[in-house]
Amino acid sequence: MNKLVAVSALALMLGFAGAAHAQYNGAAAPRGGFTGPGLAVSTAAEAAKMGDDQPVVLQGKIKQSLGNEKYLFQDASGEITIEIDDDDWRGLSVGPEDTIEISGEVDKELFDVKVDVDTVQLKK
């Protein structure tokens, strides 16, 4: 009896998955979310003065790699260290000439301030 219930549940789940797949004809299902305004863009100098864990959005360029997933980020106001985990690049490649927008959180330690980056986008 337990096997019959398990097989029936599996068939039901596969049916729903098949219907969802057919609805989008093989394309990835659209992801929903908020589409309104977000955080205003800040500068590197402003980010350096923000409190720990403060969300921040910056636009500028990565001047150089500092190793261990850390980079020197620069905008018109100055420079700040940013940390981008390898998986947060999501396949994007940028060079020092590319303008990017990053979003993340300020990470303040006793003698160090950096931005832990969650997303990276190429700006055109």
Side-chain angles (χ1 to χ4, degrees):
M1 179 67 171
N2 287 340
K3 289 181 182 178
L4 180 60
V5 171
V7 169
S8 296
L10 179 60
L12 186 60
M13 289 188 322
L14 290 174
F16 284 129
H21 180 18
Q23 180 179 1
Y24 295 108
N25 295 324
R31 296 180 65 187
F34 182 67
T35 59
L39 292 172
V41 175
S42 298
T43 66
E46 291 169 336
K49 296 176 185 175
M50 291 180 178
D52 191 38
D53 296 329
Q54 185 76 27
V56 66
V57 175
L58 302 173
Q59 286 184 5
K61 299 177 184 221
I62 295 177
K63 190 172 177 178
Q64 70 183 62
S65 172
L66 302 174
N68 295 326
E69 300 180 337
K70 290 187 176 85
Y71 303 88
L72 186 60
F73 179 88
Q74 183 178 35
D75 65 14
S77 74
E79 301 173 343
I80 192 167
T81 300
I82 62 174
E83 183 173 348
I84 306 173
D85 293 338
D86 290 336
D87 57 335
D88 288 333
W89 285 103
R90 293 181 176 86
L92 183 65
S93 295
V94 300
E97 70 285 348
D98 295 316
T99 300
I100 60 170
E101 180 174 286
I102 60 173
S103 64
E105 302 84 32
V106 174
D107 182 16
K108 277 199 162 185
E109 296 176 1
L110 190 57
F111 299 107
D112 187 37
V113 178
K114 69 180 184 219
V115 174
D116 284 329
V117 176
D118 295 322
T119 63
V120 181
Q121 295 179 347
L122 189 60
K123 299 301 286 185
K124 295 186 180 185

